[in-house]
Amino acid sequence: DGVRFTPVAADLPNNHARALLEDRDGTLWNGVAGSGLVRWEGRVVDTFTTARGLAGNDARTIAQDADGRIWAGTENGVSIIEPGALRTLRTADGLPDNAVTSLAPARGGGVWVATQRGVCLASAATNACTAGPAPPGRADTVLEDLDGRLWIGTPQGLHVRGAAHAACPGQCLPGAAVTALLQTRDGDVWAGLASGAVARLHAGGLSMFTPGDGLPAGNVVALRQDVEGSVWVGTYYGGLARLKPKRVR
């Protein structure tokens, strides 16, 4: 489609990029396995590690809250980064577990934090995390949708808290390991599965896409929507696919 990709591995501490965020100012943040969090601002590259106060060196997930703060979830807690300051939340501050798996901005302020032992709602104002309305046990991905529902992906399926959803009234996809979540601009919720399948949950029900439809075979680890409305599916060891209306390419 006339798009060129430029490798930037030379600017990273290593080649294992785990998370990527473009903030509202256009700055790029990259979580790198074992090597911390990298910030690209113009031509300036800045790296945060435990030596600079980052919670852990395995930056697995990144989010930006309503006030512009950057949150980085690691294997040893979550760090909050703002101009001139960096602080960390751990189990002593209310996290169910220090191993953070996913972050998602909350509509009412704060950030939802998913961990290996549950979900909590973190507040930068109080520097604490309050237990959320979530099933106990590991949560691999979390999302608050535009209607205020909280979606929690677990190794046992997808859980929804809040107003009932036509395609998932409380719990759905039983037995499926849900590893990624996305709400597209039309309001649909997409769930990526460890099996390589992707579920689209909409007002009319649930649609499932599998490797048999053209998706790569691999654990789905990321879902994103581009400006053209396509959904990009990132997989572990399986590559990248673009899901367009009525086809996968």
Side-chain angles (χ1 to χ4, degrees):
D1 293 338
V3 177
R4 291 193 304 170
F5 293 89
T6 303
V8 292
D11 294 325
L12 292 174
N14 65 53
N15 292 337
H16 194 171
R18 294 201 60 175
L20 182 67
L21 172 76
E22 181 180 5
D23 69 22
R24 290 191 285 275
D25 295 326
T27 299
L28 289 176
W29 299 80
N30 195 168
V32 184
S35 297
L37 181 69
V38 178
R39 177 177 64 190
W40 279 286
E41 193 169 7
R43 294 181 176 272
V44 178
V45 178
D46 194 15
T47 301
F48 297 84
T49 64
T50 54
R52 294 182 60 183
L54 196 69
N57 282 330
D58 192 9
R60 304 168 172 180
T61 176
I62 313 168
Q64 185 174 28
D65 67 20
D67 295 315
R69 303 179 190 88
I70 300 299
W71 296 62
T74 78
E75 82 285 4
N76 192 31
V78 58
S79 288
I80 308 167
I81 303 167
E82 49 195 330
L86 189 157
R87 48 204 164 104
T88 289
L89 303 180
R90 292 194 173 96
T91 53
D93 306 297
L95 265 65
D97 190 85
N98 285 333
V100 177
T101 54
S102 179
L103 298 171
R107 293 173 68 246
V111 169
W112 291 103
V113 182
T115 77
Q116 290 190 349
R117 294 185 179 179
V119 174
C120 64
L121 178 59
S123 167
T126 63
N127 220 50
C129 209
T130 305
R138 182 184 177 98
D140 285 318
T141 182
V142 64
L143 167 76
E144 184 174 347
D145 71 17
L146 296 174
D147 294 315
R149 299 182 190 89
L150 184 64
W151 299 73
I152 305 138
T154 77
Q156 293 79 38
L158 182 60
H159 299 258
V160 183
R161 297 295 183 264
H165 189 279
C168 192
Q171 185 176 359
C172 57
L173 303 173
V178 179
T179 49
L181 288 168
L182 165 73
Q183 184 172 35
T184 47
R185 290 186 290 275
D186 58 8
D188 293 350
V189 172
W190 296 69
L193 310 183
S195 66
V198 175
R200 172 177 165 245
L201 299 105
H202 47 91
L206 186 152
S207 303
M208 188 72 73
F209 304 91
T210 71
D213 298 305
L215 285 172
N219 180 1
V220 177
V221 295
L223 296 168
R224 295 292 184 271
Q225 185 178 34
D226 65 21
V227 294
E228 297 175 346
S230 297
V231 173
W232 290 80
V233 182
T235 70
Y236 196 60
Y237 289 124
L240 182 69
R242 183 172 65 176
L243 184 60
K244 300 182 73 175
K246 299 185 179 179
R247 66 178 295 189
V248 177
R249 59 175 291 179

